């Protein structure tokens, strides 16, 4: 799990960095965003399998593969439901809300749909909230109102981004710098040097 955590980069952090340097829409920026998307897709699969592989009871052998099979089947069913029903139901719902002419109601409906799909996916199909949120975004993107939904929810996105950075900062325990300085230095070296070299070789 620690290796997986080191192998991926934060999409939110890098997008903010690219935006601040006005590199988001350059050739290098597009490559970076494409790289981030692939990493996110890989992490979706990891988020599905980690709870199974580290689940209660320490299942092994055929029992483990049976559990993995059930989990992947639940994911497939969830994806099918989202791509078939979600692509029809969600645009229809946004259309009905749009007819009211209320900007606030449209924003509320957009946020409620995204959060509802994410939490509902976890409750009904046993998949992670992150996976539910990922497909909620995909379904919203397919809607004819996707651009308006993105525009209306922009202030909320910025607020959630701020909360994200604050939450990550609050997880940091300064005592670790004193208790395990070598481990911290090695981790930083892997991220700054190891990942840079690996990415450079792959891109070349």
């Amino acid at each position: 799990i620690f290796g997986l955590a080191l192998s991926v980069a934060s999409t939110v952090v890098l997008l903010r960095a690219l935006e601040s340097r006005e590199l988001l829409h350059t050739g290098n920026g597009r490559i970076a965003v494409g790289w981030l998307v692939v990493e996110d897709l890989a992490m979706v699969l990891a988020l599905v399998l980690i709870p199974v592989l580290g689940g209660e009871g320490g299942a092994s052998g055929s029992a483990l593969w049976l559990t993995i099979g059930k989990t992947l089947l639940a994911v497939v069913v969830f994806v099918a439901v989202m791509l078939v029903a979600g692509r029809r139901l969600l645009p229809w719902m946004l259309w009905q809300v749009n007819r009211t002419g209320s900007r606030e109601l449209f924003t509320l409906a957009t946020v409620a749909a995204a959060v509802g799909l994410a939490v509902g996916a976890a409750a009904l199909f046993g998949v992670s909230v992150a996976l539910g949120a990922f497909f909620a975004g995909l379904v919203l993107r397919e809607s004819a109102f996707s651009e308006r939904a993105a525009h209306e929810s922009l202030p909320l996105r910025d607020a959630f981004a701020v909360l994200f950075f604050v939450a990550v900062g609050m997880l940091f325990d300064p005592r670790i710098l004193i208790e395990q300085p070598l481990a911290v230095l090695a981790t930083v070296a892997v991220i700054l040097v190891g990942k840079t070299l690996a990415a450079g070789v792959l891109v070349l």
Side-chain angles (χ1 to χ4, degrees):
I1 292 175
F2 187 57
L4 279 173
L6 294 183
S7 68
V8 297
S10 171
T11 302
V12 177
V13 173
L14 278 182
L15 285 178
R16 289 287 175 179
L18 290 171
E19 286 177 355
S20 66
R21 296 170 182 267
E22 298 183 352
L23 296 173
L24 189 59
H25 299 293
T26 64
N28 290 338
R30 291 191 178 94
I31 292 172
V33 172
W35 190 294
L36 291 172
V37 170
V38 173
E39 285 188 348
D40 288 344
L41 290 172
M43 284 305 101
V44 166
L45 184 60
L47 286 170
V48 170
L49 293 179
I50 284 174
V52 177
L53 295 173
E56 298 178 1
S60 59
S62 59
L64 175 62
W65 286 109
L66 182 61
T67 306
I68 292 175
K70 289 180 179 179
T71 303
L72 293 178
L73 180 61
V75 172
V76 170
V77 172
F78 165 68
V79 172
V81 170
M82 290 291 288
L83 294 181
V84 176
R87 290 175 69 177
R88 296 177 182 273
L89 183 61
L90 195 57
W92 177 84
M93 184 198 74
L94 292 179
W95 170 260
Q96 297 300 322
V97 173
N98 184 63
R99 289 176 60 187
T100 66
S102 172
R103 177 182 175 183
E104 292 80 7
L105 187 59
F106 186 86
T107 303
L108 180 62
T110 302
V111 175
V115 175
L117 286 171
V119 176
L124 297 176
F125 297 94
V127 300
S128 68
V129 175
L131 181 61
F134 177 78
F135 277 97
L138 285 182
V139 171
L140 282 171
R141 181 74 179 132
E142 292 295 317
S143 169
F145 299 100
S146 60
E147 290 187 9
R148 182 184 173 186
H151 177 73
E152 298 287 354
S153 60
L154 190 60
L156 286 172
R157 190 190 71 175
D158 291 340
F160 281 126
V162 171
L163 287 175
F164 168 80
F165 286 115
V166 171
V168 170
M170 290 173 68
L171 289 172
F172 179 68
D173 184 0
R175 290 179 299 180
I176 198 71
L177 297 175
I178 300 173
E179 295 173 357
Q180 300 188 48
L182 294 180
V184 172
L185 286 174
T187 302
V188 172
V190 168
I191 296 172
L192 295 181
V193 180
K195 284 192 65 175
T196 301
L197 291 175
V201 170
L202 286 172
V203 171
L204 290 175

